[in-house]
């Protein structure tokens, strides 16, 4: 606690009580008292300023420490499709391009054009690497060919024929026109997703905590949006 300087009148009364209240002595005592009070006031103000400096220093150090702990770029805002969904290819300037909208409501963005003469079309037998995500659950993954392994522990690509009723119609429409090695993100509206048939490809892994549980939590709740996003890479066209 800082000590407040005593009022001048109290000092004067103290001086008079001990017989110092003489005209000649009074002026000298008054000057000495004023000087003492001024000195005491400066001392108190000095203590206050020192306390203020210490408080400011502690605040500055705390602020600096908080800035060091805060991760760099934590407030950066990126394209939503990059933030929510991983890609099979490194992010490129393609992420700033809009999705191509088809009349059916399916949309896609192509990340890599692929090569060769073959193009996915009606009747094509295609083999793809595929990741499926639920937009209503902020991009939760419900299917991945990398997680469906064969007897050798290798990823198991998905194979189906376009137009044969084996896969989701929105997925088929979204990959028409792709070449071997091409990579796309395809957004499938609910009507062209599992509303067309819950047994259509791709089928997620069964069991607690697997993709089936996440998918069912959306499909069995009519209040949830069942829009899907697929990351597709074409491996083979026959």
């Amino acid at each position: 606690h800082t000590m407040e300087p005593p009022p001048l009148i109290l000092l004067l009364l103290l001086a008079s009580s001990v017989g110092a209240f003489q005209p000649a002595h009074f002026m000298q005592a008054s000057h000495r008292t004023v000087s003492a009070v001024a000195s005491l006031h400066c001392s108190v103000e000095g203590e206050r300023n020192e306390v203020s400096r210490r408080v400011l220093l502690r605040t500055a150090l705390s602020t600096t420490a908080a800035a060091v702990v805060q991760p760099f770029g934590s407030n950066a805002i990126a394209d939503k499709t990059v933030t929510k969904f991983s890609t099979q290819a490194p992010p490129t300037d393609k992420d700033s391009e809009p999705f191509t909208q088809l009349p059916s409501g399916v949309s896609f963005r192509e990340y890599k054009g692929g090569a060769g003469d073959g193009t996915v079309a009606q009747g094509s037998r295609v083999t793809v690497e595929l990741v499926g995500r639920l937009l209503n659950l902020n991009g939760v993954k419900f299917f991945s060919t990398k997680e469906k392994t064969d007897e050798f522990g290798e990823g198991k690509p998905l194979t189906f024929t376009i137009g044969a009723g084996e896969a989701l119609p929105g997925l088929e429409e979204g990959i028409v026109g792709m070449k071997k090695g091409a990579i796309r993100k395809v957004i499938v509206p609910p009507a062209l997703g599992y509303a067309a048939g819950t047994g259509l490809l791709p089928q997620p892994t069964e069991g607690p905590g697997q993709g089936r549980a996440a998918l069912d939590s959306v499909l069995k709740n009519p209040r949830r949006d069942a829009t899907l996003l697929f990351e597709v890479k074409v491996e083979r066209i026959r």
Side-chain angles (χ1 to χ4, degrees), residues 98-113:
F99 278 73
T100 299
Q101 303 285 335
L102 302 179
S104 65
V106 173
S107 59
F108 68 87
R109 177 192 283 159
E110 189 152 288
Y111 285 80
K112 184 178 178 182

Side-chain angles (χ1 to χ4, degrees), residues 52-135:
S52 298
R53 283 194 293 271
R54 288 199 296 270
V55 171
L56 289 175
L57 179 59
R58 284 198 298 269
T59 302
L61 290 175
S62 299
T63 303
T64 303
V68 171
V69 173
Q70 183 72 13
F72 173 76
S74 61
N75 294 324
I77 300 176
D79 186 313
K80 289 182 180 179
T81 60
V82 177
T83 303
K84 290 184 178 180
F85 318 117
S86 65
T87 62
Q88 293 178 335
T92 66
D93 56 356
K94 294 285 187 180
D95 289 307
S96 62
E97 296 180 4
F99 278 73
T100 299
Q101 303 285 335
L102 302 179
S104 65
V106 173
S107 59
F108 68 87
R109 177 192 283 159
E110 189 152 288
Y111 285 80
K112 184 178 178 182
D117 297 329
T119 301
V120 177
Q122 287 293 317
S124 297
R125 185 73 174 168
V126 297
T127 298
V128 299
E129 295 288 351
L130 187 72
V131 174
R133 299 183 184 275
L134 299 165
L135 293 189

Side-chain angles (χ1 to χ4, degrees), residues 127-172:
T127 298
V128 299
E129 295 288 351
L130 187 72
V131 174
R133 299 183 184 275
L134 299 165
L135 293 189
N136 185 260
L137 299 182
N138 293 323
V140 166
K141 181 169 57 179
F142 71 91
F143 177 86
S144 174
T145 52
K146 297 295 186 182
E147 295 174 3
K148 280 184 169 290
T149 58
D150 57 20
E151 60 272 24
F152 302 105
E154 299 292 331
K156 191 176 181 180
L158 190 67
T159 300
F160 55 91
T161 300
I162 304 295
E166 300 171 356
L168 299 176
L171 174 61
E172 290 186 350

